[in-house]
Amino acid sequence: MKTLILTTDKKDIETAARIIREGGLVAFPTETVYGLGADALNADAVARVYEAKGRPSDNPMIVHIARASDIGQLTRMLSPDIVSLIDNFWPGPLTLVVKKKPSVPDRTTGGLDTVAVRLPDSGPAIDLINMAGCPIAAPSANLSGSPSPTRAKDVIADLDGKVDAIIVGDDCRVGIESTVLDLTGEVPTILRPGIITAESIEAALGKEVVYDKSLTEAAKHVQADPADGVSESDFKPKSPGMKYKHYAPKADMLVVEGQRDKVIAEIERLKTLNERLGNKVGVILFEERAFIEAAHDFFAKLRDMDSEGVDMILAGALSDTDGVGFAVMNRMLKSAGYNITKV
Ligand code: TXA
Ligand code: MG
């Protein structure tokens, strides 16, 4: 398939919107990562997204809307919590999981009776949704399993020839995907951490929010001794997309955790050793507590190292238990397939 490469000019977005209306696939920038969009209410179009990404069909999509009131097309009941979250965080990188209306195709929600909804804080994304005149289902615009794309060139590398069009916009401001918050249970539950933190959601709601058990269990597993025998089933996540291995670079990756000086020394030692063995080694070591910057750069660094042919990536763990650093660590540990060493 020939992929059209488009700009963010209105005329090009109109072309992209027409493709979406006709059931085609368009990759577009958002403030978090690039998304691969299709008409969320067209089951055949959504099926093509799964195919292009090589994504398992039980993994539901986030539905993007252009006006907060459009959430009414997707769900019936707006609880006071939903309304305050919309007021506080939209447009922005917070996805709300709510009960779905029957008109939302099962394809879009992976067969679940809930739907994930988000109003992105990105001009081109909003223009595209508005001009298409339908909600747009969009997972991240990468091949399933590989790092999320934060730059147009990353999207082109993964999807050129597999989708109808790619809108080339600016690099994504946030760099990691939205926070996913489930509002269908008794307690608001974070299914995927992002730059909108548990603390800020609690402040907006005036009540406690919790993390899905798989997130905290995974962290425990990392802190535990392998001999403790924590089983993989303990991490069975409620969000089907939060798979055990994900965002994986081509290189082997090891996360080094511990006190900062020791982490730096261990990374240096492992780097020298591995280079002596003829391996090309890449290092990811963010400034201490520079979590926003880490979020912005993390996926781009993985992709750059892949294109440089790096064999092994050594990454310094971020010490943060529930803020933006925790969200980046969630991605880092998955990228490394939970391959971690403590110093
Ligand atoms: O920032 C983002 O959220 C980006 C941009 C493009 O908006 N999108 C994105 O989509 O990251 P994706 O498909 O890569 O991740 C969606 C996540 C997955 O973990 C999926 O399982 C979860 O949201 N999800 C979607 N619908 C859900 C639902 N109804 N219940 C629970 N989890 C859901
Ligand atoms: Mg994704």
Side-chain angles (χ1 to χ4, degrees):
M1 167 191 300
K2 173 101 181 79
T3 300
L4 271 178
I5 304 292
L6 302 172
T7 70
T8 54
D9 292 351
K10 289 266 149 92
K11 220 174 115 266
D12 274 11
I13 302 242
E14 182 49 64
T15 305
R18 189 170 359 101
I19 292 171
I20 296 273
R21 278 197 302 274
E22 289 167 358
L25 307 188
V26 176
F28 63 97
T30 80
E31 81 280 29
T32 55
V33 302
Y34 274 73
L36 176 59
D39 178 350
L41 304 179
N42 177 341
D44 294 335
V46 170
R48 268 178 226 125
V49 175
Y50 286 104
E51 205 178 299
K53 277 186 61 107
R55 178 179 175 112
S57 60
D58 69 337
N59 192 354
M61 315 235 162
I62 294 177
V63 178
H64 298 67
I65 55 178
R67 267 176 311 271
S69 58
D70 288 347
I71 194 175
Q73 297 177 22
L74 307 166
T75 190
R76 255 190 217 124
M77 266 266 285
L78 289 189
S79 67
D81 281 357
I82 297 175
V83 174
S84 6
L85 292 166
I86 290 175
D87 285 348
N88 276 276
F89 298 108
W90 281 8
L94 177 66
T95 294
L96 304 177
V97 174
V98 296
K99 282 262 168 234
K100 86 172 183 77
K101 269 188 176 172
S103 52
V104 182
D106 280 343
R107 272 274 179 202
T108 305
T109 63
L112 299 174
D113 62 356
T114 56
V115 60
V117 190
R118 158 167 140 74
L119 176 60
D121 185 16
S122 149
I126 296 293
D127 289 346
L128 178 65
I129 303 163
N130 269 328
M131 290 185 203
C134 58
I136 294 186
S140 48
N142 52 281
L143 293 176
S144 190
S146 68
S148 294
T150 58
R151 305 167 298 193
K153 66 172 180 180
D154 303 334
V155 180
I156 291 170
D158 276 20
L159 297 180
D160 193 13
K162 296 194 169 72
V163 301
D164 297 290
I166 296 172
I167 299 176
V168 173
D170 293 337
D171 293 354
C172 301
R173 173 171 57 78
V174 175
I176 57 172
E177 309 87 339
S178 59
T179 304
V180 177
L181 181 69
D182 183 0
L183 293 159
T184 62
E186 255 166 54
V187 186
T189 304
I190 293 181
L191 305 182
R192 179 174 70 185
I195 68 157
I196 295 189
T197 60
E199 198 185 355
S200 60
I201 296 169
E202 284 180 343
L205 292 179
K207 64 161 97 157
E208 194 199 9
V209 310
V210 297
Y211 287 109
D212 184 47
K213 201 160 157 262
S214 67
L215 296 171
T216 41
E217 287 304 316
K220 249 191 252 160
H221 172 70
V222 165
Q223 282 146 20
D225 203 287
D228 290 351
V230 183
S231 80
E232 267 196 37
S233 64
D234 289 343
F235 323 94
K236 182 141 186 2
K238 203 168 163 211
S239 174
M242 299 299 279
K243 287 244 186 60
Y244 197 49
K245 183 150 182 170
H246 205 145
Y247 313 123
K250 292 186 198 114
D252 288 334
M253 183 164 166
L254 174 69
V255 177
V256 183
E257 186 187 43
Q259 204 225 317
R260 185 146 177 108
D261 302 351
K262 289 194 182 148
V263 166
I264 294 172
E266 181 64 359
I267 286 181
E268 202 40 56
R269 188 181 78 84
L270 291 172
K271 182 171 186 284
T272 310
L273 267 173
N274 276 279
E275 281 173 347
R276 222 176 273 156
L277 295 174
N279 284 326
K280 188 159 177 179
V281 181
V283 171
I284 299 181
L285 193 60
F286 295 110
E287 293 292 317
E288 223 168 353
R289 305 203 64 81
F291 300 141
I292 296 283
E293 192 188 355
H296 182 268
D297 292 351
F298 179 64
F299 286 133
K301 278 190 195 287
L302 292 186
R303 282 183 173 264
D304 286 347
M305 286 179 186
D306 274 349
S307 46
E308 287 157 17
V310 164
D311 301 296
M312 181 185 195
I313 299 174
L314 298 167
L318 307 176
S319 43
D320 188 26
T321 49
D322 62 1
V324 175
F326 175 71
V328 181
M329 272 311 283
N330 168 269
R331 276 52 171 200
M332 191 184 278
L333 290 169
K334 282 183 208 292
S335 307
Y338 291 89
N339 187 19
I340 184 162
T341 180
K342 275 156 239 201
V343 290

